[in-house]
Amino acid sequence: MSGHDAMHEDPVHETPPTDTLAARGVVAGRFASGLHPALDAINRCFEVDRRMWREDIEGSLAHARMLGSTGIIEPEAAERIIAGLRQVAEEFEQGHFVDRPDDEDIHMAVERRLTELIGEDGRRLHTGRSRNDQVATDLRLYLRAASERLVAGVQRVQQRLRVLAGRDGECVMPYYTHLQRAQPVLLGHVLYAYVDMLEQARVDLARTPRECPLGAGAGTGTSFPIDREQTARELGFERPAPNSIEAVASRHDATMTVAAMASCAVALSRLGADLVLWCSREFGFARLGDAVSTGSSIMPQKRNPDGAELLRAKATVVSGALQRLLEIQRALPIGYCKDLQEDKPAVFEAEDTLLQMLAIAEAMLGDIAFDGQRMRAAVEEPGGYVLATEVADWLVKRGVSFREAHAAVGLLVREAEARGVDLASLPDDVLAAAHPRLDGSVRAELSVDAAVAARAAVGGTAAANLRRRLAEDA
Ligand code: ARG
């Protein structure tokens, strides 16, 4: 458009173009001049919201049917609008839709094309609604569709984790706190921690908008005898939003969905952090397959876990989108404000990024080998003292208070460290010196397998629990 060229003029002498009146599109009546190109550039969002074309047309179809069935427009006009909208949908579906510079957003683009196709009737579609309730409806419909995609992606990652837990889950490895070896744990228990974290995000992602904004108009409702129950029902909502202002001004549903996305991204980021550690030479617990590993341009030996690293970094994009969405709403007075147009880039970016993350997580978990020997060696390495809690528990089971036991075992660890041996190698007299109740029979319980098996209470790492989870999920 000519406005585009005008942007490159000397700004001092720039005058707002008068030949872009067409860019005013359907609101041209109010204005004597065309839109300043700078305003057009910042205001136009068709490239972003065109991805809601399905939802926009779905909402318009429901609206048109309602306008016809209530007699607000002639039923025949409604039929022509419906047929025209289907044609527009077909053009989007086939990739044939041609936008025009004056298509400010998806709503105007669809209506403009509809009117080209069916003539004057197209101009009746906007009766009794506003783009404010329209966009709020589109977005809530879009969130529902996005939720389905995301839930499916999460489930695929969960499935990979379960498969690994079934295959290698009984490998014993160190559980870390503060990234220091703490206690023995089964790999399957760790993998299920991620299954469960993702499950919490999945439940929240599955939450979909319940109230339909359509019919709220610009924000105070409409003077036409519309049937909001009908459109809400037809669009799959539980009910019409009961307050027209809230309906157009709230982005609560988007916020909740993006919050669930952010929480999911954070879980994947932590999985990425573990994969990076596990695949390091230092840990040596896991090896990613060739297709999900990268090389270095200089060091021929390198085998880098880029996918796992990017899980960490991409999570910031998703959590950043949540932050943007909250901040967009934070200082707004009630009622629709154009700021709200910027909600969609945040939602879409969060969705795209999370889908990418889910895909790479799924791919990596589908092509990873664990080294059970390395894991066991790490947990059995004598200097780790991961069985110290077992000794303390042994004393407690013989009537000693936990605090007293803790102190006694602390002394034992210090002594063992000084001698460079593990706890089970300490002689009887050293045991007795640390605590009078302690004797050599404790050694029978000092194995990582016994420590794991002992944690059989609900939620503990015992193999029996893992097997139960796997059986439940089979
Ligand atoms: N493109 C706008 C958005 O995404 C649609 C609503 C515009 N409403 C208005 N009064 N200008 O928010």
Side-chain angles (χ1 to χ4, degrees), residues 45 49 105 107 131-132 135 251 336 338 340-341 344:
C45 62
D49 64 18
D105 53 27
H107 326 295
R131 276 187 297 157
N132 296 355
V135 72
R251 291 296 181 266
Y336 177 85
K338 204 51 175 279
L340 293 172
Q341 179 164 287
K344 287 172 287 297

Side-chain angles (χ1 to χ4, degrees), residues 185-199:
V185 75
L186 293 186
L187 170 62
H189 199 59
V190 176
L191 296 172
Y192 257 96
Y194 283 112
V195 172
D196 290 355
M197 268 192 169
L198 290 171
E199 180 61 13

Side-chain angles (χ1 to χ4, degrees), residues 177-452:
T177 64
H178 313 266
L179 201 54
Q180 307 290 314
R181 287 175 193 165
Q183 291 172 338
V185 75
L186 293 186
L187 170 62
H189 199 59
V190 176
L191 296 172
Y192 257 96
Y194 283 112
V195 172
D196 290 355
M197 268 192 169
L198 290 171
E199 180 61 13
Q200 287 166 338
R202 191 196 64 77
V203 167
D204 290 337
L205 284 169
R207 174 199 180 280
T208 52
R210 297 161 59 185
E211 295 178 348
C212 182
L214 193 60
T220 63
T222 172
S223 60
F224 293 95
I226 58 171
D227 185 346
R228 291 193 62 204
E229 299 287 346
Q230 179 185 329
T231 46
R233 206 178 326 112
E234 205 170 300
L235 292 171
F237 291 100
E238 280 177 28
R239 55 174 174 265
N243 181 286
S244 56
I245 303 176
E246 185 278 340
V248 301
S250 165
R251 291 296 181 266
H252 177 77
D253 288 312
T255 306
M256 290 299 105
T257 299
V258 176
M261 290 193 230
S263 179
C264 184
V266 165
L268 292 173
S269 174
R270 296 177 75 168
L271 174 65
D274 269 328
L275 291 176
V276 169
L277 289 174
W278 294 350
C279 291
S280 70
R281 193 91 191 129
E282 281 64 22
F283 278 72
F285 294 174
R287 184 181 168 95
L288 288 166
D290 285 0
V292 287
S293 299
T294 47
S296 155
S297 57
I298 174 170
M299 298 162 284
Q301 87 284 10
K302 287 304 287 292
R303 186 179 187 82
N304 294 330
D306 290 29
E309 295 167 87
L310 289 168
L311 280 182
R312 292 188 306 215
K314 293 285 188 186
T316 68
V317 177
V318 186
S319 60
L322 173 61
Q323 188 63 19
R324 273 158 64 201
L325 198 52
L326 289 166
E327 285 298 294
I328 285 166
Q329 297 165 73
R330 183 176 56 79
L332 292 189
I334 197 74
Y336 177 85
C337 299
K338 204 51 175 279
D339 312 51
L340 293 172
Q341 179 164 287
E342 291 297 312
D343 59 358
K344 287 172 287 297
V347 170
F348 298 160
E349 191 176 24
E351 183 199 4
D352 291 345
T353 306
L354 183 54
L355 286 172
Q356 238 182 7
M357 293 173 71
L358 290 164
I360 186 60
E362 183 189 351
M364 287 191 295
L365 295 172
D367 194 2
I368 189 169
F370 291 103
D371 187 335
Q373 281 176 358
R374 280 292 297 253
M375 287 192 247
R376 180 169 280 276
V379 73
E380 284 183 339
E381 189 262 311
Y385 301 108
V386 296
L387 299 174
T389 314
E390 309 319 299
V391 183
D393 287 352
W394 186 93
L395 278 169
V396 169
K397 284 166 193 163
R398 282 153 187 82
V400 180
S401 77
F402 184 78
R403 282 294 153 225
E404 191 182 326
H406 186 284
V409 180
L411 285 175
L412 273 187
V413 171
R414 209 193 308 173
E415 184 60 29
E417 226 168 25
R419 294 171 181 234
V421 298
D422 64 1
L423 294 175
S425 306
L426 289 170
D428 287 2
D429 61 315
V430 172
L431 297 180
H435 196 283
R437 301 293 301 270
L438 209 50
D439 61 57
S441 67
V442 70
R443 291 192 195 98
E445 286 176 39
L446 292 189
S447 81
V448 297
D449 299 296
V452 165

Side-chain angles (χ1 to χ4, degrees), residues 163-186:
V163 167
L164 293 175
R167 188 185 78 188
D168 300 322
E170 294 195 26
C171 292
V172 63
M173 65 185 280
Y175 161 72
Y176 297 84
T177 64
H178 313 266
L179 201 54
Q180 307 290 314
R181 287 175 193 165
Q183 291 172 338
V185 75
L186 293 186

Side-chain angles (χ1 to χ4, degrees), residues 67-123:
L67 290 177
S69 68
T70 52
I72 295 170
I73 65 173
E74 291 161 16
E76 297 73 30
E79 284 310 318
R80 288 189 289 274
I81 290 172
I82 288 163
L85 284 170
R86 294 219 169 97
Q87 227 177 310
V88 180
E90 192 59 22
E91 292 183 3
F92 272 106
E93 192 76 70
Q94 305 296 326
H96 297 153
F97 185 89
V98 182
D99 66 308
R100 289 219 320 239
D102 49 332
D103 291 340
E104 185 183 306
D105 53 27
I106 182 66
H107 326 295
M108 287 186 159
V110 170
E111 188 183 317
R112 188 263 309 153
R113 181 64 185 140
L114 173 71
T115 305
E116 281 171 7
L117 288 170
I118 68 166
E120 199 53 23
D121 285 328
R123 295 166 167 278

